[in-house]
Amino acid sequence: MALAWKCSGLRWSAGGPVLVWDGGRSSALHRGKRVAFEVVEGGVRTCAGARGHACPARAVVPGRSTGARCEECARLERAHSVAADTIADDPRPYHVYLAWFGPGLVKVGITAVERGSARLLEQGAVCFSRLGTGPLMAARRAEELLRAALRVPDRIPYAGKRAVRSFLPATAEERAAELGELHGRATALGGWPESLEREPFRPVDHAGVFGLGGLPAAVGEVSELVAGSVVSGELVAAAGPDLHLVTDGAVVVLDTRLMTGWELRPARGAGFTVPVREFREPVGVQDGLF
C-alpha cells in the first residue's frame, strides 16, 4: 500500500506554487502537470495545529472548513497576528498595497517588506501596486484611511476572485487601469501618517505567473474532500490557493486549503469523485454576484 502523506497547504516560491507536506516534503506544481491523489479510505480530517505545533487534541475538523483548525488552535494561530491586529510592536517595515483581482475587485492591505510579493501571490492578486512603506502602525493607519475615505475593503471573498479569472482584460495595461486610478485618488488624500514613505504607481502583474491567459471558465468548485474520494486532472492555472484542473474536458477549481489535515496518497487510477458545487450560471456574467 502506498505511503500516505498529510498535506500542509500550498506555498508560493520563486519558482511557482508548491504543495507542502508534513515532514518537510514538497511537490512543485507547473501547468500541464497531472494532479492526482486519493483520500485514504476510512480516514478523518484532523486539525492542522497552530504556530508550527500539532493540535494536542488531534481534533477532527469539518471537510468544508478552509481553516482546517479546531476552535482552540484557530484562536492560538491568530494570537499575536498582524492580520488580526493583535500586535503593535513589530519592528519590521511594512508595505501598504492595493491589489486588483478583476473589474471592481480591489482591496487594500499591508505586508511585511521582507515577504516581497509572497502575500499577493498567496491571495491570488492578478496585479498590485505598493502605496507606501513604513512602521507597522503607520501602515495600519494608512490602510484604515483608505477603507474609510475611499471605501476600499481589506478582504475580497474567493468566490468573487474565481468568478472573474476567465474574463479578465487581455493586456497588463488594461488590468492595471483601475488600480492606477485608485492609486492616484489614494495618494491625493490628506491625513497620511508622516512616517509612511509614499511610493509611485508601479503595477506588478501576475496573470502570466498564474496562467490566466486564455483560461477556460470553470464549471464548478470542489466543496470538500471525503474519505475514499479521488482527484485527478491536468493543472491549467494556479492562483492563490486555487488549482484550476481539467477533468473530463471541463475545468473544476480545487481550493488546496481543503486538502490540509487529510492523509492523501497517489491515485491508483483516473477519476474525480470528490463533491463538486456546480456554478448555476456561466461564471463571470451574473449581474448580482457583487
Side-chain angles (χ1 to χ4, degrees):
M1 182 177 293
L3 180 67
W5 291 0
K6 182 171 286 189
C7 184
S8 300
L10 184 144
R11 303 288 183 271
W12 281 88
S13 69
V18 176
L19 280 175
V20 181
W21 310 92
D22 283 7
R25 302 181 183 90
S26 62
S27 303
L29 299 172
H30 54 82
R31 291 191 292 279
K33 180 183 179 71
R34 179 172 175 260
V35 176
F37 63 85
E38 62 182 64
V39 185
V40 172
E41 185 75 43
V44 295
R45 189 185 190 198
T46 55
C47 173
R51 306 183 69 79
H53 300 284
C55 174
R58 289 188 56 81
V60 175
V61 294
R64 292 174 182 261
S65 167
T66 54
R69 289 186 172 89
C70 67
E71 184 175 343
E72 179 61 18
C73 285
R75 184 187 67 79
L76 291 172
E77 181 69 14
R78 289 184 67 80
H80 305 292
S81 167
V82 170
D85 204 17
T86 57
I87 60 175
D89 57 352
D90 189 334
R92 298 176 297 172
Y94 276 78
H95 286 310
V96 185
Y97 63 81
L98 288 171
W100 184 89
F101 301 89
L105 299 178
V106 181
K107 64 156 284 187
V108 60
I110 68 174
T111 185
V113 170
E114 64 187 33
R115 296 208 67 206
S117 299
R119 179 64 179 149
L120 286 305
L121 291 165
E122 291 166 359
Q123 295 180 55
V126 179
C127 64
F128 78 94
S129 181
R130 299 181 178 99
L131 281 163
T133 305
L136 172 59
M137 295 313 294
R140 183 66 80 193
R141 287 195 298 274
E143 181 185 39
E144 291 296 328
L145 174 64
L146 266 66
R147 290 173 59 189
L150 301 181
R151 296 184 179 179
V152 181
D154 63 350
R155 296 178 187 276
I156 300 290
Y158 273 100
K161 300 175 187 180
R162 293 169 189 145
V164 298
R165 284 188 188 135
S166 298
F167 305 94
L168 299 174
T171 68
E173 290 76 16
E174 291 175 293
R175 291 190 291 270
E178 185 177 359
L179 202 63
E181 189 272 336
L182 189 58
H183 188 285
R185 290 170 58 198
T187 54
L189 290 172
W192 279 75
E194 293 183 1
S195 57
L196 195 75
E197 181 182 351
R198 303 199 195 187
E199 297 197 22
F201 181 59
R202 294 194 183 100
V204 177
D205 193 274
H206 289 152
V209 176
F210 293 153
L212 303 183
L215 178 65
V219 300
E221 59 189 3
V222 175
S223 57
E224 64 179 317
L225 303 186
V226 295
S229 61
V230 176
V231 168
S232 179
E234 178 187 344
L235 180 66
V236 292
D242 294 342
L243 304 182
H244 290 244
L245 304 173
V246 173
T247 178
D248 293 329
V251 175
V252 176
V253 180
L254 169 63
D255 185 337
T256 54
R257 295 175 299 175
L258 297 175
M259 299 169 61
T260 305
W262 284 105
E263 288 194 333
L264 309 172
R265 64 188 180 195
R268 289 170 287 188
F272 206 95
T273 63
V274 293
V276 173
R277 182 187 303 109
E278 295 185 359
F279 297 127
R280 295 182 181 180
E281 299 178 35
V283 180
V285 300
Q286 301 100 313
D287 291 336
L289 179 63
F290 305 116

